[in-house]
Amino acid sequence: MNMIKRFKVSFSKVFKKLFKKKGACIGIYGPPNAGKTTLSNRILRDWVGGEETMGSVSHIAHETRHAKRRNEVTIETNGHTISLDIVDTPGLATKIDFHDFMEQGMSDSESKKRSKEATEGVIEAVKWLDDLDGVILVMDATENPYTQVNVTVIGNMEARNLPLLIVANKVDLPDADPGVIKEAFPQHPMVPVSALEGVGMDSFYEALAKQFG
């Protein structure tokens, strides 16, 4: 009888190990220059360490032109430990004009190439939605949240019945007003942060664990 019990316990441990649920795959979305990659880099800096980053940042829109994934990022917060796969996606936009890149000093050919890459990046970001378990939607707290991009992403997440966490970024800037974002989308949790300065990140990780853990 004891042997049978030991066998059952041993089998149960092996079964749980083999079929242990993997961490959720979470996509970081938002318009260009909202701070998606800055947030991704902050997460890696806080929980992976070293010099690893998700990508470079720039004041020029659409710096991230291809989605980048970092698997098994372990986050410990408020007595809980979660493991997430993080996907940093290209900025979403309803219109991409190569003239905008020319205004940043790029040549005609370079601007057209950048515009094409940015368009492809938007398509890739949308395709990623089929493989995600949830979304972090990054908004610039200094800008009007009632944009087509924000409304479309939120509507898409609600239609897919996927959990969503809104991040009101850039609260370190004097004209930031995260309260406007909260009022615009009260049906979803929102956390104000400065991914650049690291402000509000403890609250962000707690919200992350609660929403996706």
Side-chain angles (χ1 to χ4, degrees), residues 4 20 25 41 44 61 64 71 101 123 136 146 158 186 194:
I4 295 176
K20 182 180 180 181
C25 185
N41 289 344
L44 295 189
T64 300
N71 293 334
F101 296 107
I123 295 173
I136 298 170
Y146 294 101
E158 291 175 344
S194 169

Side-chain angles (χ1 to χ4, degrees), residues 103-121:
E103 292 177 358
Q104 298 296 328
M106 295 184 182
S107 65
D108 181 82
S109 59
E110 186 180 10
S111 296
K112 290 179 178 178
K113 178 175 181 291
R114 185 69 171 261
S115 179
K116 180 175 181 294
E117 291 173 343
T119 302
E120 293 172 346

